[in-house]
Amino acid sequence: MSKTADMPALKHAFLERLVHYYHFVSDRMRDAEDGATVTSTEIAGLIHMDDTLVRKDLAAIGVRGLPRVGFRSAEVVDAVRLLLGFDQSYRSVLVGAGRLGGAMASYGGFTRYGLEIVGIFDNDPDKVGAFITPHRVRPLEELTEVVRQRQAELAILTVPPSAAQEAADRVVEAGVRAIWNFASAIVTTPESVFVRHEHISVGLAELSHHLKHSGSVAEG
Amino acid sequence: MSKTADMPALKHAFLERLVHYYHFVSDRMRDAEDGATVTSTEIAGLIHMDDTLVRKDLAAIGVRGLPRVGFRSAEVVDAVRLLLGFDQSYRSVLVGAGRLGGAMASYGGFTRYGLEIVGIFDNDPDKVGAFITPHRVRPLEELTEVVRQRQAELAILTVPPSAAQEAADRVVEAGVRAIWNFASAIVTTPESVFVRHEHISVGLAELSHHLKHSGSVAEG
DNA sequence: TAGATTGTTAATCGATTAACAATC
DNA sequence: TAGATTGTTAATCGATTAACAATC
């Protein structure tokens, strides 16, 4: 019933599961026929999770299954794409043309998720003017102009930690609504700007913790 | 009481909070005196969370506070470092010398977490021999030798999706105990090998979802 | 001492799982 | 039909929060 009613901040774990479903089902569809279906058990097997949860999740995003058959793959994929916003195109500016910035700028995979980079900026004169695939690195002074002209909604920050807050301030002032922060520094922004902080150290913590503590421990 | 007794797979959310504490407290310590303390409320303020949870978490990793004073910053930082394994050094090999691989190889921040890259590999003859900061890119054939000689425990995969499974197979065969997978493809490994899949698309999903659905919605 | 903060138990909340009826 | 799978309610589990006594 609820549809997309009010939609408060969806829980991270839920979104993560949806992304998993999306990848699993869309991968499967590649070498399958048009009306292909997938069962909740098949999806659940992927991540060692309970199939009931898969059905709950799919029900939550409005996908109805067919008893004895499963779920239409195309329907699953479309529903997730719609909910996550992968069906729309988002223009974004990238600040920080270092190695990571360059890697992200030239990574082609974002288009699959509707992300389009419309400008790359750096305040290092040595970098300004360089070409990164289809873009020329511009000076930060041109940021506001580009954000307004191209109506960019998102900013990707790939600057050093020390430059993160200033970069955040500038993109906020320029008018973006969300920030994808790859700098390993927490930035503060007005409430209205959504920040996703991609901290590499969380992943590393999990690995490091595992390596340290798995030595002689028997597997459950 | 439990100490570090059996220590099963710690919950992701818990580890993530610990990493937050670690960064917040160690940042604060930089411009503070030696015996500096921090209260659970101060830590909690950082992420808009309940201070009780902070105290629970710290108690769980064996840090005892001082009523009326708070927690000794150094003690907090040390306990987290110890639990997460940041106090130890882990040797790792990096497979895939593309842009992302290069960015990671030359990123100096990992040492803070005890990660040391001891070799970079690629099967593209055009890349083999190139220098990435202190390393020369080696052919994949040399992988096993390096892993054994340097006793590398971790492999970082920054290869294209299509090459991910093969790369995983090779590093597993060479003897690593964990994989940090940046390829946007799920890889399967023996149970004994721990895999952390860093899927960029989860972060993107959260942002994309926000951008799509936050238009006219009033903030809670 | 009075007051601030910890530590811990109990209460709540939400997410996951189990059970099973509904359905094609 | 018989059987497989969905959909949903109820039960469980675990994580978070509230309350408050213990403590320096």
Side-chain angles (χ1 to χ4, degrees), chain B residues 2 17 35 58 63 65 72 83 90 103 108 116-118 125 150 152 154 157 161 170 172 180 184-185 207 213 220:
Chain B
S2 71
R17 292 197 303 268
L58 292 180
V63 179
R72 274 191 222 293
L83 181 85
Y90 300 103
E116 183 197 355
I117 293 177
V118 299
R150 304 295 313 268
L154 175 68
L157 304 188
R170 292 191 84 141
V172 166
W180 200 4
S184 49
L207 285 158
H213 297 283

Side-chain angles (χ1 to χ4, degrees), chain A residues 171-218:
Chain A
V171 297
V172 166
E173 201 196 310
V176 305
R177 294 167 53 212
I179 291 176
W180 201 5
N181 179 26
F182 286 85
S184 50
I186 293 174
V187 298
T188 58
T189 59
E191 286 278 312
S192 59
V193 175
F194 182 85
V195 178
R196 159 93 192 181
H197 183 194
E198 213 68 52
H199 30 187
I200 208 71
S201 53
V202 172
L204 195 42
E206 221 160 76
L207 286 160
S208 172
H209 172 267
H210 174 83
L211 285 174
K212 174 159 187 178
H213 297 282
S214 69
S216 54
V217 177

Side-chain angles (χ1 to χ4, degrees), chain B residues 172-188:
Chain B
V172 166
E173 200 196 312
V176 304
R177 295 166 52 212
I179 291 176
W180 200 4
N181 179 25
F182 285 85
S184 49
I186 293 174
V187 298
T188 58

Side-chain angles (χ1 to χ4, degrees), chain B:
Chain B
M1 28 220 73
S2 71
K3 285 275 165 186
T4 321
D6 47 342
M7 192 65 60
L10 288 208
K11 271 302 167 73
H12 180 78
F14 174 59
L15 283 181
E16 193 166 329
R17 292 197 303 268
L18 290 185
V19 171
H20 277 301
Y21 305 165
Y22 177 73
H23 286 148
F24 176 66
V25 179
S26 56
D27 280 2
R28 253 177 63 113
M29 276 173 73
R30 234 179 277 143
D31 22 50
E33 279 121 59
D34 249 24
T37 57
V38 61
T39 68
S40 55
T41 316
E42 284 167 337
I43 298 178
L46 171 74
I47 340 180
H48 301 91
M49 62 187 292
D50 198 283
D51 54 299
T52 308
L53 186 50
V54 175
R55 293 200 293 280
K56 275 256 173 80
D57 285 344
L58 292 180
I61 62 172
V63 179
R64 309 221 75 207
L66 309 158
R68 254 196 90 192
V69 177
F71 298 83
R72 274 191 222 293
S73 300
E75 229 177 285
V76 173
V77 170
D78 288 348
V80 177
R81 290 187 66 217
L82 205 70
L83 181 85
L84 298 184
F86 293 164
D87 61 316
Q88 300 190 351
S89 186
Y90 300 103
R91 281 166 299 282
S92 101
V93 288
L94 191 150
V95 182
R99 284 201 192 72
L100 179 59
M104 296 198 63
S106 51
Y107 172 58
F110 289 141
T111 51
R112 178 179 180 186
Y113 306 106
L115 182 69
E116 183 197 355
I117 293 177
V118 299
I120 302 180
F121 302 84
D122 206 298
N123 61 6
D124 178 349
D126 288 356
K127 283 180 187 145
V128 170
F131 273 90
I132 294 181
T133 340
H135 296 278
R136 188 180 56 81
V137 178
R138 297 163 178 246
L140 266 179
E141 285 72 33
E142 299 178 15
L143 178 76
T144 303
E145 189 193 327
V146 172
V147 167
R148 303 226 167 124
Q149 230 167 43
R150 304 295 313 268
Q151 301 189 31
E153 302 178 276
L154 175 68
I156 303 173
L157 304 188
T158 49
V159 298
S162 57
Q165 185 60 55
E166 199 205 318
D169 293 344
R170 292 191 84 141
V171 296
V172 166
E173 200 196 312
V176 304
R177 295 166 52 212
I179 291 176
W180 200 4
N181 179 25
F182 285 85
S184 49
I186 293 174
V187 298
T188 58
T189 60
E191 286 278 313
S192 60
V193 175
F194 182 84
V195 178
R196 158 93 191 181
H197 183 195
E198 213 69 51
H199 30 186
I200 207 71
S201 51
V202 173
L204 195 43
E206 222 160 74
L207 285 158
S208 173
H209 172 268
H210 173 82
L211 285 173
K212 174 160 186 177
H213 297 283
S214 68
S216 55
V217 177
E219 291 269 327

Side-chain angles (χ1 to χ4, degrees), chain A residues 87-101:
Chain A
D87 61 317
Q88 299 190 353
S89 187
Y90 300 103
R91 281 167 300 282
S92 101
V93 288
L94 191 149
V95 182
R99 285 202 192 72
L100 180 59

Side-chain angles (χ1 to χ4, degrees), chain A residues 8 17 19 30 71 80 97-98 101 119 143 151 179 200 210:
Chain A
R17 292 198 303 270
V19 171
R30 233 179 277 141
F71 298 84
V80 177
L143 177 76
Q151 300 188 33
I179 291 176
I200 208 71
H210 174 83

